[in-house]
Amino acid sequence: MADKKRDALKIITLGNSLVGKSKLMERYLMDEYKPHQDSTYALTLHEREVEIDGTMVSIDYWDTAGQERFDNMHPSYYHGAHCCILVFDVTNPATYLQLSQWYQELRTYCADIPCLCAANKIDADPKMTKKKYTFPIKHDLPLYFVSASDGTNVVKLFQDAERAANEYKNAVPTDVYRNVLELLKDDDGFDLNDDDDDDDDDDDL
């Protein structure tokens, strides 16, 4: 079981309190929706087995512990994450304006993990799906118009996040290996190559 947990994908959610992060998870994982639940007060970890491209994959979905009410998350929340779902409430413009702060914090701890943007509560104001949101365009983030209440696009959002997380995780070893090689090469004159033609190896540093 320990090996399975160590290999699990980690998907996190970010966004202001009460934008519906927990509700979206409930809708996807349990097909439930409780409209009058208070803001999340303890870290919730959901575990799930899914099939991606014919392979069973373990996924941990992390929900906030109400920390977002303090406008930031503990660094441990981001540790080891493979994908992030960034959520705002289309009926509350302030939650949209806060996206830049959450995104900046995400990139401080997770520089390049995939991030999906979710515009939640479209059932309350369907015309908001016609609105142009510049934040996801500026940061090249896919935007999903979703409703935790009626389930609109929730399955697609999470399945796309799962696939993005899996692709990211599978690509990471190559990047890590390359970085280790670069560090070894620069360590006290240690050279990975037997010849002297190494002048072009530092282009990506």
Side-chain angles (χ1 to χ4, degrees):
M1 182 67 178
D3 290 340
K4 174 183 171 183
K5 289 300 296 173
R6 192 161 53 245
D7 290 338
L9 299 176
K10 177 178 178 179
I11 297 177
I12 62 175
T13 60
L14 283 179
N16 281 25
S17 181
L18 299 178
V19 295
K21 301 184 297 297
S22 299
K23 303 303 180 190
L24 288 169
M25 281 197 181
E26 289 172 5
R27 171 62 71 179
Y28 177 61
L29 297 172
M30 296 166 278
D31 196 23
E32 294 179 353
Y33 179 74
K34 302 173 184 177
H36 300 297
Q37 183 177 349
D38 291 335
S39 181
T40 311
Y41 61 88
L43 177 67
T44 303
L45 175 63
H46 300 282
E47 302 176 5
R48 186 180 177 93
E49 294 280 324
V50 302
E51 183 176 340
I52 301 177
D53 296 331
T55 301
M56 296 305 298
V57 179
S58 300
I59 301 184
D60 291 343
Y61 303 90
W62 288 55
D63 193 9
T64 62
Q67 296 180 53
E68 73 274 19
R69 287 173 290 181
F70 302 102
D71 295 329
N72 59 63
M73 299 296 297
H74 192 278
S76 62
Y77 184 74
Y78 297 98
H79 179 71
H82 299 102
C83 184
C84 173
I85 299 176
L86 188 59
V87 185
F88 71 97
D89 175 356
V90 297
T91 69
N92 185 346
T95 67
Y96 174 74
L97 295 176
Q98 285 289 103
L99 290 181
S100 58
Q101 177 179 326
W102 289 117
Y103 189 72
Q104 181 178 7
E105 182 171 301
L106 170 69
R107 291 313 181 201
T108 297
Y109 298 105
C110 304
D112 57 359
I113 69 169
C115 180
L116 287 61
C117 189
N120 193 26
K121 305 187 183 182
I122 60 169
D123 58 288
D125 193 354
K127 70 177 183 293
M128 297 303 287
T129 61
K130 306 298 183 183
K131 183 177 175 63
K132 182 178 180 180
Y133 292 97
T134 58
F135 176 84
I137 297 174
K138 175 181 178 181
H139 296 283
D140 196 24
L141 306 180
L143 175 63
Y144 299 76
F145 291 102
V146 300
S147 169
S149 178
D150 64 24
T152 300
N153 283 335
V154 173
V155 171
K156 178 172 176 53
L157 169 65
F158 279 89
Q159 288 184 344
D160 285 358
E162 291 165 355
R163 185 173 295 276
N166 191 53
E167 291 176 354
Y168 175 80
K169 182 183 180 185
N170 290 334
V172 164
T174 300
D175 295 334
V176 171
Y177 179 67
R178 182 184 63 202
N179 291 339
V180 169
L181 292 183
E182 291 292 343
L183 289 172
L184 288 174
K185 185 178 69 176
D186 294 337
D187 185 20
D188 295 330
F190 180 79
D191 200 331
L192 296 172
N193 300 307
D194 292 331
D195 55 40
D196 295 325
D197 298 331
D198 302 324
D199 294 339
D200 297 332
D201 291 341
D202 296 329
D203 293 345
D204 296 330
L205 294 180

